[in-house]
Amino acid sequence: MDNILDSESSLGKILGEISFDEKLPKSTQAYEIIRTAIISMRLMPGTVILEKNICQYLGISRTPLREALLELASERLIMVKPGGGTFVTKILLSDVLQGQLIRDTMEMRLLRLAARTYTAQFESDFELALFKQRSAAKRKNAEEFFSLDNEFHQLICRCSGFPEAWRVIHNATGQLDRVRRFAFPLQENYDEVLKEHESIYNFIRMNDVENAAAVFQVQLDATFPTLEIISSNHPELIEGSASIDDIR
């Protein structure tokens, strides 16, 4: 069942066109490229990752690639077996639920802070973020929309006064992101998510903490039916037996 990335054409389809920013560490960029492919399911569970082939395709040495893979392994998005290869993990149910708890507590707290302390200096950033989301939603571009969805929540962290908190959330929710990303083309709820983001921003702008939190809670709770759909229709993608009801 395992797939192996053993050709430039297969890597091109999965990783896309690569353009490195010389101002940023190559390991960080390689991490984001591979992570995005895993989250979007372009790198399916069980896919074997051959370091030599990816290094050649990305045009980097093994040192930055291995740093990227170690980061992905720490998020349990890949498994590195000494002498046994590196491969993409299944969606780990316990990690999905843990990521949900982190969003439900830490990110919710940050959103409340953003609504409480909002100032007009963030207006243009939010307006631009929503403009780009409307465009992606109209085109039903799942990958772009998901990326913009995360950018919106990262902006909320900035607005809260704790911009670095996003990295903590990002690193802890990789398995959850696979579920969330899976939902967009499956349920085609682009307009629904966009309207929720518009409402969240409007409530933040009005310093309406409770209503902003209420709309965000709706978004958080939408994870559960999506996870149930994946578990029922694609059990081969899921690993683990933790109960969804444990954190509801």
Side-chain angles (χ1 to χ4, degrees), residues 3 52 63 77 96 101 132 152 169 177 201 217 220 240:
N3 298 311
K52 180 180 177 181
T63 297
L77 292 172
V96 172
L101 283 172
K132 291 191 292 185
F152 179 81
I169 295 168
D177 279 352
Y201 168 54
Q217 190 64 57
L220 290 172

Side-chain angles (χ1 to χ4, degrees), residues 17-31:
E17 294 184 7
I18 306 302
S19 178
F20 277 101
D21 186 339
E22 295 302 321
K23 298 178 182 178
L24 298 174
K26 289 184 177 179
S27 59
T28 300
Q29 296 179 77
Y31 159 81

Side-chain angles (χ1 to χ4, degrees), residues 145 183-185 187-194 222 226:
F145 192 87
F184 284 129
Q187 299 172 318
E188 293 196 346
N189 56 352
Y190 304 95
D191 292 337
E192 180 180 348
V193 172
L194 174 60
T226 300

